[in-house]
Amino acid sequence: MSEPPSRGAERDLFRDTWVRYLGYANEVGEAFRSLVPSAVVWLSYGVSSSYVLADAIDKGKKARDALASVAIPGFTINRLCAASLYILSTATRWPLAVRKWTTTALGLLAIPVIIHPIDRSVDFLLDSSLRKLYPSVEKPSSS
């Protein structure tokens, strides 16, 4: 999570509280993809998308420069898990259940590692493009 706002600054519900982690529900869903029905994974995308929509509306009202990403982290975890399951299937003779649980664990462990690099990359991309179209008084805080 981002650092607490300075004294007198407004606390951002979507950046400064546990609510932010709802935006990463789809990564948890992707990590569990090999163990749960597809509907559960899609539900996790619904939770993340709802978070993104609520955050975007909130930021849009405040500064008109918010854009959040569900696709990049979800795609990253999806490909990481797919690759790890493939590698474990070809390089080990572990039982399928062990390979699936190992893949899930790798996906979950990767979530905190990918959050900040993806956030910074998206911020850089937006600073270089869309945010130029929507000037604001201050740059949104980095996470």
Side-chain angles (χ1 to χ4, degrees):
M1 270 192 279
S2 59
E3 295 177 15
S6 61
R7 195 173 290 216
E10 184 178 339
R11 186 173 186 188
D12 186 342
L13 173 70
F14 297 97
R15 289 269 203 182
D16 301 326
T17 69
W18 65 267
V19 173
R20 174 156 189 203
Y21 293 106
L22 293 175
Y24 293 96
N26 61 308
E27 283 79 27
V28 174
E30 286 296 346
F32 278 95
R33 182 180 285 276
S34 66
L35 295 170
V36 299
S38 295
V40 173
V41 178
W42 284 106
L43 179 64
S44 73
Y45 273 86
V47 171
S48 292
S49 297
S50 297
Y51 165 86
V52 169
L53 181 61
D55 187 28
I57 289 169
D58 178 63
K59 298 299 183 292
K61 287 179 180 178
K62 292 179 180 176
R64 297 190 184 274
D65 64 351
L67 179 66
S69 173
V70 169
I72 295 170
F75 178 77
T76 302
I77 297 296
N78 175 281
R79 294 294 81 205
L80 174 73
C81 289
S84 66
L85 188 58
Y86 174 79
I87 290 167
L88 290 172
S89 296
T90 58
T92 72
R93 293 178 187 228
W94 295 351
L96 180 59
V98 173
R99 293 189 309 246
K100 286 183 174 185
W101 276 105
T102 301
T103 295
T104 299
L106 289 170
L108 291 172
L109 290 170
I111 294 170
V113 175
I114 69 168
I115 291 173
H116 294 297
I118 289 175
D119 282 353
R120 287 186 183 99
S121 298
V122 169
D123 278 341
F124 176 78
L125 177 66
L126 292 176
D127 288 346
S128 303
S129 60
L130 292 177
R131 287 187 180 140
K132 291 181 178 182
L133 301 174
Y134 301 101
S136 63
V137 177
E138 63 182 86
K139 182 180 175 182
S141 63
S142 296
S143 48

